[in-house]
Amino acid sequence: MPLHIRGSETTEAVRRLAQARKLTLTEAVKTACEEALARDEAKQPVSERLAAVHARLRAARKTGESADKAFFDREWGE
């Protein structure tokens, strides 16, 4: 799916990034987007970033296993 960028300032910024990092224009756009998303994610509180993990753990069925030293030794093959 083609992406049409309108705006000479935006086009120039993508070209400068591509040239500075020796990337194609497509790679430059992808890199810029991924880095911006990573920065946004890093700004979220840890509790929000871990919410999905916590929800999965709460939903997991109980095994009845005891998580003591013997359990972990057995899991690690010791």
Side-chain angles (χ1 to χ4, degrees):
M1 165 196 272
L3 174 67
H4 300 282
I5 298 175
R6 294 189 178 119
S8 58
E9 290 178 7
T10 305
T11 302
E12 183 56 30
V14 172
R15 289 186 188 284
R16 284 193 337 261
L17 179 62
Q19 185 177 19
R21 295 191 182 179
K22 298 184 180 13
L23 303 170
T24 65
L25 295 177
T26 300
E27 291 169 334
V29 171
K30 180 182 177 195
T31 298
C33 290
E34 288 174 343
E35 289 176 1
L37 290 168
R39 282 191 307 274
D40 289 351
E41 184 178 306
K43 289 179 186 176
Q44 288 180 327
V46 173
S47 59
E48 287 181 24
R49 287 186 274 163
L50 293 177
V53 174
H54 290 164
R56 250 188 14 246
L57 287 172
R58 284 192 298 276
R61 67 177 180 83
K62 305 298 181 215
T63 65
E65 291 282 337
S66 176
D68 56 7
K69 183 177 181 335
F71 170 81
F72 287 107
D73 287 348
R74 188 171 60 248
E75 290 300 305
W76 283 97
E78 294 180 8

